[in-house]
Amino acid sequence: MTASTSLPLATRRTGLLAASAAAVVLMTGMAASAQQGAAEPMAAITAASEPTEIERFCSNIADVARDRRYALQRQELETLQKDIDQRMKALEEKRAEYEEWLKRREDFLSRIEDNVVKIYSTMKPDAAAERLAEVNVEVAAGILMKLEARKAGVILNEMNRKSAAELTRIMAAATRKEDPT
């Protein structure tokens, strides 16, 4: 069994038809060339330079392919823009949160007037510790922060351990550069 007989009948017929057509075209071209003289070979060269079916197909879909490529690029840019917008929104929320925290901190420190601080600075440390233990812890921490460090240390020394620890925690959080929450 040869290679040509192993192929399906339709494929063998198509191959034979293509070979026959090529032979006819070649013979026709040679005959026309002999009859027409030297002008005809130039026509054959010109006919050979005409676009092939593949070239015509590619030129026909070039605009569609370009439009599709632009659409994909536009879609990718829109996705990137949405991502940037989300990140900007998150940054804006963080900025607003930081401003709120800064405002709370400034309000906290400004609540304590200098007169109250002066009063506590003139009190005996044990009496001041007793009074500050009864006051709101944020107010007490604000007063202690505005007092001279040595005077605040003596007052904290006179307080019970729990109250002193809580006030120290609040004061340390208020002096941090980061958001204490």
Side-chain angles (χ1 to χ4, degrees):
M1 185 182 250
T2 63
S4 64
T5 57
S6 67
L7 293 174
L9 181 61
T11 306
R12 281 187 283 164
R13 282 186 186 162
T14 306
L16 287 174
L17 286 174
S20 299
V24 169
V25 170
L26 184 59
M27 293 172 104
T28 306
M30 290 169 66
S33 170
Q35 291 174 356
Q36 303 271 331
E40 191 58 37
M42 288 304 281
I45 292 173
T46 307
S49 67
E50 288 183 21
T52 65
E53 185 177 340
I54 295 171
E55 290 171 338
R56 284 192 309 262
F57 175 77
C58 289
S59 67
N60 287 341
I61 68 162
D63 291 336
V64 175
R66 186 179 322 110
D67 291 344
R68 180 65 181 150
R69 189 171 44 251
Y70 290 156
L72 289 172
Q73 289 174 346
R74 185 181 69 239
Q75 184 180 10
E76 186 177 340
L77 287 173
E78 288 172 356
T79 302
L80 290 172
Q81 183 65 41
K82 287 178 185 176
D83 184 44
I84 289 171
D85 290 343
Q86 288 175 347
R87 288 181 184 199
M88 288 179 65
K89 183 180 176 183
L91 284 174
E92 190 65 30
E93 289 172 358
K94 281 290 186 185
R95 185 188 61 79
E97 183 181 324
Y98 175 73
E99 286 178 356
E100 176 64 27
W101 174 80
L102 189 61
K103 183 178 180 268
R104 282 188 298 154
R105 183 176 184 266
E106 288 175 4
D107 288 345
F108 168 73
L109 292 175
S110 68
R111 270 192 252 163
I112 310 304
E113 293 184 21
D114 288 334
N115 292 341
V116 175
V117 173
K118 286 180 185 175
I119 292 169
Y120 275 92
S121 67
T122 58
M123 292 175 76
K124 292 183 180 181
D126 58 339
E130 189 178 311
R131 302 307 183 280
L132 286 176
E134 298 296 322
V135 177
N136 180 341
V137 289
E138 290 180 354
V139 174
I143 292 170
L144 287 173
M145 286 178 68
K146 288 195 173 190
L147 284 175
E148 185 181 316
R150 181 169 288 190
K151 183 75 173 177
V154 173
I155 292 173
L156 279 173
N157 191 36
E158 293 292 327
M159 292 183 138
N160 70 30
R161 288 183 325 162
K162 268 189 166 180
S163 297
E166 180 67 17
L167 289 172
T168 303
R169 184 189 64 74
I170 291 172
M171 289 188 297
T175 58
R176 273 194 270 167
K177 294 181 193 271
E178 296 177 3
D179 182 0
T181 57

